[in-house]
Amino acid sequence: MESLTTNTDVRLTVTRCFRTLKSSTDSSDIITALRTLHSYLDEGPDSTATSAERAEFRRAHYSSALQLLVSNIQADWLHQLTAAQRAELWDGLFLAGPPEQALLVLMDAIGELRPTSNLDHVVSITEKFLQRGRLAELLWSYCLEAAPSDSQQLRETLLGRISALPDITANKLQLNNRALFRPQQYYPLLATEMLTALEHTCQALRAGTDCNLTFVAQTLGKVCIQGHGGSVLAVMAPRLSACTRSDMVWQRVCWKLLENVPQRWMESVLTGLVQAVSGPDALGRIIGNLVLTNKKAQFVITHKLLLLQYKYETRVLRIILGYLAADRDRRPLLIQVLRSVSQAWANSSAVKHTPLEQQLYVSKALLLSVSLLKDSEIQELRSELLQCMLGGMQTHLDSNVVRIRHMGMVIGEYLSSRMDINGTKLKFEYDQDEETRELLSLLAPGACDEPEAEPVNRADGPQETAESAQNASQTTSGAQALKTDPDSDLDSDDELTPYDMSGDQEISKASPPRYLRDCLEILISSEDPVRVELALKAAESLVRKNSFAAREISVQMSKVLLHMDDKYNINGFLYLRQATMVALTVTDCIPVAHYLTTEFYSLNYSLRQRLDILEVLALAAQELSKPVTEKKAASISSATTAESTPYLGDNPVHWQQVVEKRIQSKTKRLTKKVNQPVTKATPNRYAPVAGHFFFPLLKNYDKPQVTFDLLGSDHLVLGRLIHTLGLFMHLAVNAPIAAQMGCALLDFVWAVRYHADQMVRRGVLFAVCSVFLSMPSQNLLVDISDQLFETRSWLAGIKKNVV
């Protein structure tokens, strides 16, 4: 009954906090709600929540709280918090609760959020999550569980997020990926966190606490099967080797860790481990007698790494065979390996059809296996070795490849010396090359183990070194400052001239958005006047800088700007809105033009909005019809020229230019030709899309709407429409579609040429002039020959009335 009451109280409190975060705009209420959620994560003596309440919040409400924060990351109250408050209250919730829930929410947020400042914020929190050792806490929390408390699906998802974090972040962030998320840094960090979890496990076992290494083993196997075993085991193997040298608890932990690796990942773990350890003794201390209890491990160690694969160095062969020979229980496997290797070496089909590199690899394995056998074991296997020597030598010596014959000679000499057949030893004459010398070097006695360092806490060493170096540098710089400026305390401020601060401007707490999607979200949802103004001022430049992002949201952003009102009395609101809409239309012409021309005849628009649509289309068409600004091209060409021109001493002027100037200065001319700059031809960006601006505006002009009657009372819009269509016609000169546009425009304006409103008549006159100036002359005579006489009479009448 008490637990039920506790659960109910926690649920009611959390629900109240969620409601405040969703709907409240008071910063004090927001801070109180966030502190209330924090109280369920505070385990200190000053915590106001009981242990039962904290456990219930972690179990049932923590993930929901984080998901709520992510969904409201664009809220105004988050940007009203100071940097310290945001780090403590917002970021702190992700860094204080159950790490597995926080990691899943963060990775889901990275996958769902668009490239905005909000994504940068979540990425920064994920980076702090890794830097503060939260992965070690996550692994250790699973070590303390006697039995899995979560579902298998959730555990698989968590394993996938941990092992593939660099891939997930790289696919999302691409070139903006953080250095910590790259495989070269992340997987060594993950290995260090796993070592920390194993160290906590050893300490807990010494204290009498049971632990479970299943999740850590699954993490190790998952990382290795994805191809990152080399980076992880290069960090773990030396530390495990050093810790297991004199500590039986560490040995038991390592054995249990390898036993819990799933069968489907066992091969990748063992393959990476035999390459990372320093010798057979270290391998034996880490994996114990795993080959005796695990069939998959036995197959990998005794068969696959020796007979099926041959890409490894000789050191790996020494480690594997030395590991099998080091323990009495494992020596039968060494004899089994010797039989398999000798049969493979003596097989005539293998000699003929396998690569030379694999035959050399098998020959090395055979020599090392025989060298590790005792004399008594040699006598037991004498008949098999004799058969191998005779059959294998005959096969190798019959080969027409010199390298194969040399292998047979070297191995035949060594086998005969070990078996001591009637006191005779085989001796061949051959020229020693690199391969034969390598085979003979395997017979020399030598220790396989390399010297191993004592266990060192890798997490503390570099940090302490960096801190001591920093303190030393600060001390040195302070001492130098005292030496170079002994009278610094005697300086006076009386002679300093006051700085002119009359032109200073107050710095806004809010920062302008850096991503176009941030602008869109602020314009849609924000109620903060400062953020809305900053977003509106930054929108145009962001649209022009990132055309790819602008094309994704061009229509949506045009819709928001078209319906936007100046409810905050922003200075220059109309100009900023219009400039952004023009930039969107220029960047993504066809979709935005189709949207604006469709909305021009739609219901529930004011006359001001319809006039805004015409102005935006006209300005966009004018910008598209102009040639591309030559400033950028000139700056690029000058930069390219500066980079490509070699530096010639202190004077970079080319010698040919110097000679040309001297000739020009000494040459007398009666007249001097004026050099005019050659105009470079550029494509007209308006011509291919002129029809998308022009024809949709002619579709529904004769259909009166409830709030819009173009041919009736709304003659102001009619005059502006005719003038805009005439402008489109004028800008489409030399365009292939100009003839069709001219015919359609002349048909439209001819019906209203005697309109009562003077503005409409002037628009008709401008449109007719645009038709005659922009249409090709041959099309005038062919397409509108019937209207030429009537148009001439109308123009003559206008001239007479004006005169």
Side-chain angles (χ1 to χ4, degrees):
M1 186 66 183
E2 183 178 357
S3 62
L4 182 61
T5 304
T6 301
N7 297 347
T8 303
D9 294 341
V10 172
R11 184 171 64 255
L12 291 176
T13 305
V14 171
T15 304
R16 194 180 306 114
C17 293
F18 286 0
R19 189 181 304 112
T20 301
L21 295 176
K22 290 179 180 179
S23 59
S24 178
T25 57
D26 189 357
S27 59
S28 59
D29 294 341
I30 297 294
I31 293 175
T32 302
L34 292 175
R35 292 191 185 280
T36 302
L37 296 177
H38 262 281
S39 65
Y40 291 110
L41 300 176
D42 187 9
E43 297 182 356
D46 299 333
S47 177
T48 58
T50 63
S51 59
E53 291 175 343
R54 292 197 297 269
E56 175 62 18
F57 177 78
R58 290 168 177 264
R59 184 191 65 83
H61 304 287
Y62 180 67
S63 293
S64 301
L66 298 186
Q67 292 170 357
L68 177 66
L69 293 181
V70 172
S71 62
N72 288 271
I73 195 172
Q74 189 60 35
D76 291 336
W77 57 261
L78 177 60
H79 299 272
Q80 293 173 358
L81 300 176
T82 63
Q85 290 174 337
R86 192 180 306 158
E88 175 191 359
L89 301 177
W90 207 92
D91 301 358
L93 279 173
F94 290 88
L95 303 175
E100 67 280 1
Q101 300 181 37
L103 181 62
L104 290 176
V105 174
L106 288 172
M107 298 308 298
D108 290 342
I110 290 176
E112 294 173 359
L113 291 176
R114 297 281 186 169
T116 60
S117 58
N118 302 330
L119 178 61
D120 295 342
H121 190 187
V122 174
V123 169
S124 299
I125 297 176
T126 309
E127 193 173 19
K128 293 179 184 178
F129 184 93
L130 299 179
Q131 291 171 345
R132 297 188 181 183
R134 298 286 287 163
L135 273 181
E137 297 179 16
L138 188 155
L139 297 171
W140 170 236
S141 65
Y142 277 93
C143 292
L144 290 176
E145 295 181 358
S149 59
D150 52 1
S151 64
Q152 183 67 23
Q153 183 179 3
L154 178 61
R155 181 165 296 203
E156 290 292 337
T157 303
L158 184 59
L159 281 173
R161 296 291 189 273
I162 294 174
S163 60
L165 187 144
D167 297 332
I168 297 173
T169 55
N171 290 335
K172 185 66 178 181
L173 304 178
Q174 297 181 0
L175 297 179
N176 299 321
N177 198 12
R178 303 291 176 90
L180 186 59
F181 299 153
R182 295 174 181 170
Q184 296 84 352
Q185 294 191 24
Y186 173 74
Y187 288 109
L189 173 66
L190 178 59
T192 304
E193 303 295 64
M194 284 193 284
L195 287 172
T196 304
L198 294 179
E199 186 174 356
H200 291 337
T201 302
C202 293
Q203 295 174 359
L205 292 176
R206 292 189 184 98
T209 304
D210 293 336
C211 296
N212 187 356
L213 294 175
T214 302
F215 188 77
V216 180
Q218 291 175 347
T219 304
L220 176 62
K222 185 82 170 180
V223 171
C224 291
I225 197 64
Q226 291 182 352
H228 304 289
S231 302
V232 172
L233 293 172
V235 177
M236 295 185 67
R239 180 75 185 280
L240 295 178
S241 176
C243 291
T244 54
R245 182 178 296 173
S246 59
D247 194 335
M248 286 301 301
V249 177
W250 265 103
Q251 289 187 19
R252 290 291 300 166
V253 168
C254 292
W255 298 349
K256 198 66 177 177
L257 176 68
L258 271 299
E259 290 176 4
N260 287 327
V261 173
Q263 294 294 312
R264 62 186 183 275
W265 299 332
M266 180 65 71
E267 178 183 346
S268 59
V269 174
L270 290 178
T271 302
L273 190 59
V274 296
Q275 297 178 79
V277 295
S278 58
D281 292 340
L283 182 64
R285 293 195 302 269
I286 294 175
I287 70 174
N289 288 332
L290 184 66
V291 292
L292 301 178
T293 58
N294 192 301
K295 294 296 183 182
K296 184 63 175 291
Q298 180 178 336
F299 171 77
V300 172
I301 293 292
T302 62
H303 188 77
K304 191 164 188 176
L305 295 179
L306 298 177
L307 297 175
L308 301 183
Q309 297 178 352
Y310 54 93
K311 61 182 179 180
Y312 305 106
E313 301 176 354
T314 307
R315 187 180 66 88
V316 174
L317 287 174
R318 286 184 180 273
I319 291 173
I320 293 175
L321 297 173
Y323 161 74
L324 296 176
D327 187 81
R328 181 181 61 185
D329 296 334
R330 297 194 294 265
R331 289 195 71 87
L333 293 179
L334 176 64
I335 297 175
Q336 175 184 336
V337 167
L338 176 60
R339 290 192 175 100
S340 302
V341 172
S342 61
Q343 292 175 3
W345 183 79
N347 192 328
S348 59
S349 177
V351 173
K352 293 179 181 179
H353 300 100
T354 56
L356 289 176
E357 292 78 9
Q358 186 173 4
Q359 296 186 42
L360 179 62
Y361 189 81
V362 173
S363 300
K364 293 177 183 178
L366 179 59
L367 286 178
L368 289 173
S369 302
V370 176
S371 65
L372 292 172
L373 292 180
K374 300 176 182 178
D375 292 338
S376 59
E377 295 171 334
I378 291 288
Q379 295 302 320
E380 294 178 2
L381 299 171
R382 183 172 180 177
S383 60
E384 298 179 16
L385 291 176
L386 182 60
Q387 182 180 359
C388 168
M389 183 184 70
L390 296 177
M393 281 180 55
Q394 182 66 34
T395 303
H396 282 74
L397 293 178
D398 290 342
S399 175
N400 56 358
V401 181
V402 178
R403 294 170 59 187
I404 295 179
R405 292 201 298 269
H406 286 175
M407 292 180 203
M409 293 176 186
V410 173
I411 293 178
E413 289 180 352
Y414 182 68
L415 290 180
S416 64
S417 64
R418 286 301 309 271
M419 288 188 296
D420 193 15
I421 306 172
N422 299 324
T424 58
K425 298 180 181 179
L426 295 176
K427 187 65 177 176
F428 297 96
E429 293 182 1
Y430 52 86
D431 296 331
Q432 291 191 2
D433 53 12
E434 184 178 355
E435 289 183 358
T436 56
R437 283 192 293 269
E438 184 180 5
L439 290 174
L440 293 174
S441 66
L442 300 178
L443 307 178
C448 293
D449 279 334
E450 298 177 1
E452 300 174 1
E454 292 297 326
V456 178
N457 192 343
R458 296 175 178 266
D460 298 337
Q463 185 177 1
E464 294 176 356
T465 305
E467 292 177 356
S468 61
Q470 183 179 2
N471 295 334
S473 63
Q474 292 176 355
T475 306
T476 305
S477 61
Q480 291 177 355
L482 291 175
K483 290 180 182 179
T484 57
D485 193 10
D487 298 331
S488 59
D489 295 338
L490 301 179
D491 292 341
S492 175
D493 296 339
D494 297 338
E495 299 179 357
L496 296 178
T497 304
Y499 187 77
D500 184 13
M501 303 178 63
S502 59
D504 288 1
Q505 298 180 355
E506 183 180 356
I507 300 177
S508 175
K509 293 183 179 179
S511 58
R514 295 179 298 164
Y515 297 93
L516 194 56
R517 286 192 176 274
D518 284 344
C519 287
L520 179 60
E521 293 177 4
I522 292 172
L523 296 177
I524 292 176
S525 60
S526 179
E527 299 293 336
D528 187 356
V530 177
R531 295 186 66 206
V532 172
E533 182 177 2
L534 291 175
L536 201 57
K537 289 180 178 180
E540 181 189 3
S541 61
L542 292 176
V543 169
R544 297 188 183 274
K545 287 179 181 178
N546 193 347
S547 58
F548 179 77
R551 291 189 183 97
E552 292 183 347
I553 59 172
S554 58
V555 176
Q556 184 182 4
M557 194 166 188
S558 299
K559 181 178 180 180
V560 172
L561 291 171
L562 182 62
H563 292 81
M564 190 175 181
D565 296 327
D566 189 13
K567 58 182 179 180
Y568 300 118
N569 196 20
I570 297 174
N571 188 20
F573 170 80
L574 294 177
Y575 169 76
L576 294 173
R577 186 185 68 160
Q578 184 185 83
T580 306
M581 294 180 69
V582 171
L584 288 167
T585 309
V586 171
T587 303
D588 198 13
C589 303
I590 297 177
V592 178
H594 175 72
Y595 169 74
L596 293 177
T597 52
T598 303
E599 295 302 306
F600 179 77
Y601 290 108
S602 299
L603 295 173
N604 301 325
Y605 278 100
S606 64
L607 296 183
R608 177 69 262 177
Q609 289 174 313
R610 301 184 197 275
L611 293 176
D612 289 341
I613 291 175
L614 294 177
E615 291 177 3
V616 169
L617 292 172
L619 292 173
Q622 288 178 337
E623 183 175 344
L624 288 171
S625 64
K626 295 178 181 178
V628 180
T629 306
E630 297 181 358
K631 292 182 179 179
K632 295 183 179 179
S635 62
I636 295 173
S637 62
S638 62
T640 307
T641 306
E643 292 177 359
S644 60
T645 302
Y647 181 72
L648 304 174
D650 295 333
N651 188 7
V653 181
H654 200 269
W655 64 270
Q656 291 180 346
Q657 298 178 5
V658 176
V659 173
E660 184 67 24
K661 287 181 180 179
R662 290 179 182 177
I663 295 175
Q664 295 293 337
S665 63
K666 296 181 181 296
T667 303
K668 294 183 180 181
R669 292 182 174 87
L670 297 177
T671 59
K672 189 175 181 180
K673 183 180 179 181
V674 179
N675 294 326
Q676 297 181 353
V678 180
T679 303
K680 186 178 180 180
T682 57
N684 188 349
R685 295 178 294 165
Y686 172 70
V689 297
H692 297 279
F693 284 76
F694 183 85
F695 290 109
L697 292 176
L698 294 176
K699 288 196 305 184
N700 299 318
Y701 67 89
D702 56 346
K703 295 180 180 179
Q705 304 288 347
V706 177
T707 59
F708 181 49
D709 187 5
L710 190 62
L711 298 180
S713 58
D714 296 327
H715 47 79
L716 175 63
V717 182
L718 177 61
R720 186 66 61 85
L721 172 62
I722 295 175
H723 189 275
T724 303
L725 292 173
L727 180 63
F728 292 160
M729 185 68 218
H730 172 68
L731 297 176
V733 61
N734 299 325
I737 203 172
Q740 301 178 28
M741 292 173 60
C743 296
L745 181 57
L746 202 60
D747 291 340
F748 169 58
V749 301
W750 201 247
V752 293
R753 65 186 184 278
Y754 297 115
H755 199 279
D757 189 85
Q758 183 182 8
M759 182 180 178
V760 176
R761 295 198 303 273
R762 287 183 177 179
V764 172
L765 182 60
F766 173 73
V768 172
C769 294
S770 299
V771 170
F772 285 105
L773 290 174
S774 301
M775 283 185 66
S777 58
Q778 62 271 19
N779 292 97
L780 286 173
L781 299 175
V782 175
D783 296 337
I784 57 175
S785 58
D786 298 337
Q787 301 177 0
L788 283 179
F789 180 76
E790 190 174 357
T791 304
R792 180 177 177 277
S793 302
W794 175 68
L795 291 174
I798 293 177
K799 180 181 178 182
K800 182 179 179 181
N801 293 333
V802 171
V803 175

